[in-house]
């Protein structure tokens, strides 16, 4: 399987409205990330822009609709489109989520968590094997944001992901905002979660913003919206992870209330300073 890791620098999620500004004012960005499903067409402006970006930057393609955690088989047509996209752009990284988004013929435009137990581990491992075999590359699997726990969940999420990586040879994408959102919603310590996380498998980190809300019973909760700057507690956890691993590719995600290019570039510079600090004092991650 091919493996061309992303550079251990800060990346940004690419938005078409920033294309002209990126060309005029290139920032210190190590890579761009795009959602695979936005490029399932064959041509037009999306591919023209992505081709131009690919010429100058490393690329991460992030799938959001394969339903790796679903109970049914993977969608063969969706897999074929992912394969064609990876063959066309040869990205340094391809990633998907430990989540499900479809059931039978119904597609939900969301990333839904699943109970973590031996049954789901075997099913997800088979799906990851199929994905990696189809793409002929190692993929990264991302930890989800959670809003509830399951009565039939028997394996802690970090241990589930460690076993998934050991069984399939996949890498992991550590979304630190998802860890923080889940910790607040489910009432656990995010640092304890990260202490148990198999950091040696991490090939990319995601950082994003969230929003505060209340559930039906009036309890405070967080929503993973990707619609705000990265929160200070999330950046603090990012720094602690890097202090342990050394610099890792770290992406600033923004999908809603997208600011102008200069504002995003400034946020990327904050994360870049953390990577530079880690570069001087911590070992290099063995799987990056």
């Amino acid at each position: 399987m091919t493996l061309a890791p992303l550079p251990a620098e800060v990346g940004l999620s690419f938005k078409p409205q920033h294309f002209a500004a990126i060309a005029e004012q290139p920032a210190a960005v190590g890579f761009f990330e795009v959602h695979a499903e936005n490029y399932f067409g064959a041509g037009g402006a999306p591919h023209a822009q992505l081709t131009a970006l690919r010429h100058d930057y490393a690329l991460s393609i992030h799938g959001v609709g394969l339903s790796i955690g679903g109970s049914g088989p993977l969608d063969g047509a969706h897999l074929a489109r992912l394969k064609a996209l990876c063959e066309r752009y040869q990205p340094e990284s391809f990633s998907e989520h430990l989540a499900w988004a479809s059931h039978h013929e119904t597609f939900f435009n969301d990333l839904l968590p699943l109970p973590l137990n031996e049954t789901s581990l075997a099913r997800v491992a088979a799906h990851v094997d199929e994905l990696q075999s189809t793409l002929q590359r190692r993929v990264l699997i991302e930890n989800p944001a959670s809003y509830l726990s399951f009565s039939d969940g028997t394996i802690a999420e970090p241990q589930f992901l460690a076993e998934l990586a050991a069984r399939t040879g996949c890498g992991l994408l550590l979304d630190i905002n998802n860890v923080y959102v889940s910790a607040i919603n489910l009432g656990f310590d995010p640092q304890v979660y990260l202490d148990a996380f198999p950091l040696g498998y991490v090939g990319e980190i995601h950082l994003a913003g969230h929003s505060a809300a209340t559930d039906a019973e009036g309890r405070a909760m967080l929503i993973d919206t990707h619609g705000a700057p990265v929160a200070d507690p999330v950046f603090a956890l990012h720094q602690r992870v890097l202090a342990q691993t050394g610099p890792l590719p770290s992406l600033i995600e923004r999908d809603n209330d997208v600011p102008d290019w200069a504002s995003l570039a400034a946020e990327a510079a904050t994360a870049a300073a953390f990577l530079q600090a880690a570069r001087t004092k911590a070992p290099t991650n063995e799987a990056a």
Side-chain angles (χ1 to χ4, degrees):
M1 292 184 183
T2 60
L3 175 62
L6 293 169
E9 300 175 13
V10 173
L12 283 171
S13 50
F14 171 66
K15 300 301 171 195
Q17 60 265 40
H18 292 151
F19 182 75
I22 293 169
E24 294 175 3
Q25 298 176 321
V29 174
F31 64 97
F32 281 102
E33 184 167 285
V34 298
H35 288 178
E37 287 75 6
N38 291 336
Y39 296 87
F40 275 2
H47 282 287
Q49 292 181 348
L50 186 55
T51 298
L53 282 180
R54 185 68 181 106
H55 183 268
D56 296 324
Y57 296 93
L59 177 65
S60 172
I61 294 182
H62 192 47
V64 296
L66 187 58
S67 202
I68 285 282
S71 59
L74 297 180
D75 183 328
H78 196 111
L79 269 175
R81 293 187 181 103
L82 294 177
K83 177 179 174 62
L85 191 62
C86 286
E87 289 179 344
R88 181 171 182 172
Y89 289 103
Q90 296 295 317
E92 278 77 6
S93 177
F94 178 85
S95 52
E96 252 290 352
H97 302 79
L98 179 63
W100 61 280
S102 60
H103 185 65
H104 296 304
E105 300 302 319
T106 302
F107 179 78
F108 303 94
N109 190 27
D110 210 339
L111 297 166
L112 302 166
L114 58 149
L116 304 182
N117 51 44
E118 289 295 339
T119 299
S120 61
L121 177 58
R123 184 177 66 248
V124 173
H127 286 168
V128 171
D129 282 340
E130 183 179 0
L131 175 61
Q132 293 189 132
S133 178
T134 299
L135 300 187
Q136 285 296 293
R137 64 172 52 237
R138 184 191 192 204
V139 305
L140 306 180
I141 300 299
E142 176 180 342
N143 57 296
S146 296
Y147 304 92
L148 51 81
S149 56
F150 292 88
S151 59
D152 55 347
T154 58
I155 307 176
E157 191 169 280
Q159 283 69 45
F160 187 99
L161 288 164
E163 183 61 27
L164 180 66
R167 290 189 187 187
T168 67
C170 75
L172 301 177
L173 193 164
L174 173 59
D175 189 313
I176 296 179
N177 182 60
N178 285 353
V179 173
Y180 185 74
V181 166
S182 299
I184 298 302
N185 292 341
L186 303 184
F188 64 81
D189 184 335
Q191 189 56 54
V192 171
Y193 177 103
L194 290 171
D195 287 344
F197 200 88
L199 296 175
Y201 289 109
V202 175
E204 183 181 347
I205 287 174
H206 274 183
L207 302 163
H210 53 256
S211 64
T214 55
D215 65 13
E217 298 179 352
R219 293 173 297 197
M221 64 182 301
L222 298 180
I223 307 294
D224 177 35
T225 58
H226 295 190
V230 178
D232 289 344
V234 174
F235 264 144
L237 292 170
H238 181 225
Q239 287 180 274
R240 294 181 69 167
V241 168
L242 295 180
Q244 185 173 345
T245 64
L248 288 172
S250 298
L251 179 84
I252 304 288
E253 292 184 293
R254 195 65 173 268
D255 295 313
N256 296 298
D257 295 325
V258 178
D260 61 26
W261 172 242
S263 298
L264 266 186
E267 195 171 12
T270 299
F274 300 153
L275 266 69
Q276 182 57 36
R279 193 166 279 117
T280 62
K281 58 184 178 184
T284 300
N285 183 283
E286 64 186 41

